[in-house]
Amino acid sequence: MSQPLLRILLFAILRLFLRIEFRGLEHLAAAGPRIVLACNHVSFADPLIVRLLFKQAPVYAIDTTMARLWWVRPALRFARTYAVEPSRPFAVRAMIRDVAGGAPLVIFPEGRLTMTGNLMKFYDGAAFIAARTGATLIPGHIAGAGVMPLTRIHGHKVRRRWFPKVTVTLGPAIVPVHPARSATGNLTAALKRALRELAAGDVETASIGAALRQAIKAHGIMTPVLEDRPVAGAWTYAKLLARAGAYRRCLNDTASSATIGLLAPCTCEEVALLLAVLTSGRPVAIADRALSCSQLAAAYAAAGVGMVVRPGGGATDIATLHIEDFAVDQGHAVKNEHDAGTGAAAGSVAFLRTDVNATLVLHWLQQDTLIAAAAGVAMRLDLTRADKLYCGLSMSEPQGLIYGLIWPLLRGAGIYLSGRKKPQSLLADNLYVANVSVLVGDCKGLYALAGCADREDFYALRHVVALGARDVRGDLAQLFYDKFGLSVTYGTADALPDEMDSSCSSPRDNSSGPCSNARSSLSRQLGQVAPCMDQAKAAMRRDAPRPDRNE
């Protein structure tokens, strides 16, 4: 079959069943005669999908083990492929000759199908070929194909669908400055950064409501996402949306259009009320529960709050308190940290808290900024529907809202809410009963929690994310490693974590479900076995028959 006819047939089939859509084709058109396309690898259908981008038949790089499979070998007859093996560079030399001759090259830098849905280990083959040939490096992101059965992503991480909508997004071209060997590392870093930006761009960032609808479509409306046991049990997306819709109707009955204030949520009802305010288009001010009444009054006044709301006594009622009912104390100064041009715009969020100097801080952020930050966290940490997350940070801080609510909601993971503040020993017991697998908090809080917890309390834990307080990071990491056999991933003062690349590539972090804590368990068992072995050897030497000197 001729290549043009094959391309037309593939386009008709994929367009019919996968509703395939291409974005950023202008980058490919302006790339020049030599092209190296580097894409993420989520399904076995990826080579067929990217084939539609080229009029000329491209050259593919394929793993040697994959090329030897009996059901893959017949498909290789219809494409020009090179089996790549790290220990044998002959295929790379042949690909360099083809790219230099004008043939487009398609290569998947991960070298294998992803097991997590995110980018995994990154090889520098694409950057090396581009640097040696002077070809234009085009980053590409395939979205949607990872939920098909033609993938190696575990079923508990995604909701399987046979015919999802597939989108291929091409990013701006990366042109090597000079074909030097030293340029390979810079090109690899630039390519990885571009692929992560393309992946984060697939998340709907217009508003919390739009991003939530996208997550429900991906994970299913009956997925459990909230839990504050024993108060309300597990809430699904459906129950959360229904309760938020009821609260939103109550808010619409109020004539006020000023900023709405509420305390940092710690129960399912309060989270539903927060989502109701966020999806209503009104600005909202989230205050820390540790603030005194006079501090709350000063903070709400600085944020322009006209009405404070909280869940009422009924199932869908809200209790309102107007700001005029507060006795405003003018003695509290409020430090405003929002950027220029950012304020009480429609749908914006204000965070009201105190800093280390006990000064009130007001910080405004837009919803799209919060969603983009959560998408950036999702690119670095593997979180699935099988996980349950607990965040010890208050949602009156941007990190608390991002890590504790937006990130898990968009990933379909469960969120455990502990309710009101409680002793660390009781909190550790609650995390044990709730089977929490991802723990987020500040370094000092995590250190106190780990000190009060038993080793069995964190049996299901596989991610520990610590923020802030760099002076105690070494002690925290040592405590979690010695007591639980877990490593700690650190985040920066802003929303995005900084030291996550190495931890996200480890097998334990990419697995889901209970973690056996094999390292600490094995070392402890060996420490118990060693004295027994010494005693057994001594007994064997003592009881062994001695040779008779008279023989």
Side-chain angles (χ1 to χ4, degrees), residues 465-479:
V465 182
L467 306 175
R470 294 179 179 269
D471 54 335
V472 297
R473 285 186 175 184
D475 297 335
L476 178 67
Q478 191 67 35
L479 176 61

Side-chain angles (χ1 to χ4, degrees), residues 341-356:
T342 305
S348 57
V349 183
F351 300 92
L352 306 173
R353 64 192 190 282
T354 56
D355 57 9
V356 293

Side-chain angles (χ1 to χ4, degrees), residues 216 239 245 268 328 385 412 467:
I216 292 173
K239 185 174 182 180
C268 295
V328 179
R385 297 190 302 164
L467 306 175

Side-chain angles (χ1 to χ4, degrees), residues 395-415:
M395 293 189 191
S396 60
E397 304 178 19
Q399 298 92 340
L401 186 62
I402 292 168
Y403 283 93
L405 184 64
I406 300 178
W407 173 40
L409 271 184
L410 300 188
R411 302 294 293 182
I415 304 171

